[in-house]
């Protein structure tokens, strides 16, 4: 398994593969901002739209690849306000359905946390569907629950679900 940080060109090159992963993740029931069924072409366009943010340095995206196939991804979104340059948001952590539960998610999370420290980030935050498998991953990795917002986002089947907000201090050393 190889983990690769994508530049804007690399993201455009891998957009179809990332779209396949996104469609699989939504089909698997993960609440990551999309409703089911998610059309592959729409998912490709969504990923292609991220290339500008990657080129501008506002977003970092990593892929986990096995045998030339994208099997996971994670991102860090960096704020543009001067008073928040110490923090970043962990976004779109996804693992292909046939590889979940094998440590890949934790590995991607570790990659993002190490990269955050290297970039001078000291605080990470994220949101995830309450009681989801992802929530168990974050708790197990030392993230702290900040609170829960009821009816925050619709799950892929359109049902409003609560969202848990987490943070983690990632100071160097």
């Amino acid at each position: 398994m190889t983990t690769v940080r994508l530049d804007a060109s690399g993201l455009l090159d891998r957009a179809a593969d990332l779209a396949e992963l996104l469609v699989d993740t939504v089909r698997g029931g993960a609440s990551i901002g999309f409703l089911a069924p998610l059309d592959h072409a729409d998912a490709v366009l969504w990923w292609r739209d991220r290339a500008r943010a990657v080129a501008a340095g506002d977003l970092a995206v990593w892929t986990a690849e096995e045998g030339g196939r994208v099997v996971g991804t994670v991102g860090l979104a960096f704020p543009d306000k001067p008073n928040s340059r110490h923090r970043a948001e962990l976004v779109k952590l996804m693992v292909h359905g046939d590889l979940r539960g094998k440590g890949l998610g934790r590995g991607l999370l570790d990659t993002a946390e190490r990269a955050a420290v290297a970039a001078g980030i000291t605080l990470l935050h994220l949101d995830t569907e309450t009681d989801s498998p992802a929530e168990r991953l974050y708790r197990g990795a030392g993230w702290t629950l900040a609170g829960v917002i009821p009816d925050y986002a619709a799950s892929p089947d359109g049902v409003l679900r609560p969202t848990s907000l987490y943070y983690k201090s990632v100071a160097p050393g």
Side-chain angles (χ1 to χ4, degrees):
M1 188 103 34
T2 306
T3 303
V4 178
R5 182 172 176 174
L6 301 177
D7 60 14
S9 175
L11 179 62
L12 292 171
D13 289 345
R14 298 308 297 236
D17 299 324
L18 285 160
E20 183 179 320
L21 175 63
L22 178 57
V23 168
D24 173 75
T25 304
V26 171
R27 186 182 314 116
S31 180
I32 54 173
F34 299 90
L35 298 175
L38 177 59
D39 181 73
H40 186 267
D42 291 338
V44 170
L45 290 175
W46 185 85
W47 276 110
R48 287 182 152 296
D49 284 347
R50 309 282 76 76
R52 285 186 299 271
V54 169
D58 298 330
L59 176 66
V61 176
W62 290 265
T63 57
E65 301 178 16
E66 185 174 65
R69 176 180 168 221
V70 173
V71 295
T73 188
V74 67
L76 287 175
F78 301 100
D80 61 354
K81 296 174 186 65
N83 73 339
S84 56
R85 300 221 190 274
H86 67 288
R87 70 178 187 242
E89 181 179 8
L90 187 94
V91 295
K92 300 301 183 259
L93 174 58
M94 293 181 258
V95 173
H96 198 278
D98 57 5
L99 292 174
R100 290 187 193 128
K102 299 182 185 205
L104 181 55
R106 181 62 179 263
L108 285 164
L109 187 56
D110 290 345
T111 294
E113 290 177 8
R114 284 192 309 273
V117 170
I121 299 299
T122 59
L123 180 67
L124 292 173
H125 63 96
L126 62 84
D127 66 86
T128 192
E129 183 177 336
T130 303
D131 295 328
S132 67
E135 189 172 29
R136 289 187 294 280
L137 169 69
Y138 300 129
R139 283 186 180 163
W143 287 68
T144 301
L145 178 66
V148 175
I149 303 171
D151 296 338
Y152 183 78
S155 59
D157 60 2
V159 175
L160 290 178
R161 299 275 302 131
T163 293
S164 297
L165 306 175
Y166 282 86
Y167 68 92
K168 185 173 186 178
S169 295
V170 290

